[in-house]
Amino acid sequence: MAIDDLLDEHEQGERVRSWLRNNALGIIGGVALGIAAIYGWRWWGDHQAQQRQQAHSTYAEAIKQLDAGAVDKAGALLAGQQGTYATLASLRVAKAQVEAGKLDEAITTLRGIQAEPALQPLVNERLAQVLNASGKPEDALKLLEGDTGSAGLELRGDALLASGKRDEARDAYAKALAATDVASPARRRVELKLQEAGGEIPAPAEAI
């Protein structure tokens, strides 16, 4: 027979009370921590929701200013902002600056974007495009290091060609073409660039 079966109710009650006295501080602390964790989680959720709402409001106002032609005001609204909304809006600001011929301002805008990792390659490619257009291909090449996507390879080819490195540009265009889907509207553009760099368009694979 187990020892607990031999204890009468009084002895069992005394053991429970003794255990509670010895562990009271730990129990109270654990309860307090649990309550604090619940309220902390709720506060964090509310804070995040408020941040998202604020980011969306800033994005909407920036787009409104862009549509009104107030590019500088839109840029000022987005200064120092982070997150997806701010990145997308800043890309539109940079596009408007390029269309207005303000390439240096577009470069500043793009360099100032604090993008999430998923959007950083897109920001880098836009910046490389503007750098190429600004006569700064070496800066574009540094920015595109490690980019093996079709767009990045095409821009790398542009930078290499502008730097007088025709053979390397041809190789970059060939790789960009190989990475471009056959149905992509960009494919014809890459083919033309490859030909201009002295390359040949590979013959289409025969259907089996």
Side-chain angles (χ1 to χ4, degrees), residues 8-195:
D8 58 26
E9 293 182 3
H10 176 72
E11 289 175 308
Q12 292 182 33
E14 282 299 316
R15 283 197 171 191
V16 170
R17 285 189 287 274
S18 176
W19 184 88
L20 289 173
R21 283 194 297 272
N22 293 334
N23 295 278
L25 290 177
I27 293 172
I28 293 172
V31 172
L33 285 174
I35 293 173
I38 291 171
Y39 278 99
W41 181 258
R42 288 180 178 175
W43 175 86
W44 178 247
D46 292 343
H47 176 70
Q48 290 290 89
Q50 186 178 7
Q51 290 286 86
R52 287 193 295 270
Q53 184 177 5
Q54 179 61 41
H56 183 270
S57 297
T58 302
Y59 170 82
E61 181 60 27
I63 297 304
K64 180 180 177 181
Q65 294 295 336
L66 277 174
D67 291 341
V71 179
D72 291 342
K73 288 184 179 181
L77 279 170
L78 297 166
Q81 296 291 319
Q82 300 181 32
T84 303
Y85 284 122
T87 297
L88 296 177
S90 294
L91 287 171
R92 289 192 58 174
V93 169
K95 182 175 183 292
Q97 290 169 331
V98 169
E99 291 172 348
K102 300 177 180 179
L103 299 184
D104 288 340
E105 291 184 18
I107 290 172
T108 299
T109 296
L110 291 166
R111 288 195 186 281
I113 293 177
Q114 301 178 53
E116 298 172 351
L119 290 175
Q120 191 60 54
L122 173 61
V123 175
N124 288 348
E125 287 166 4
R126 293 285 179 86
L127 177 54
Q129 189 175 28
V130 180
L131 287 169
N132 280 335
S134 301
K136 301 174 182 177
E138 295 301 327
D139 289 345
L141 287 171
K142 291 178 183 178
L143 192 66
L144 294 167
E145 287 180 2
D147 190 335
T148 57
S150 57
L153 289 167
E154 180 186 353
L155 288 166
R156 182 173 180 80
D158 294 343
L160 288 166
L161 194 61
S163 300
K165 301 174 182 177
R166 189 181 181 83
D167 292 342
E168 293 181 50
R170 184 170 58 247
D171 182 58
Y173 287 139
K175 290 179 179 178
L177 185 62
T180 302
D181 189 273
V182 293
S184 173
R187 188 172 181 84
R188 182 54 183 160
R189 183 183 66 243
V190 180
E191 287 177 343
L192 290 172
K193 289 182 178 181
L194 176 58
Q195 288 177 319

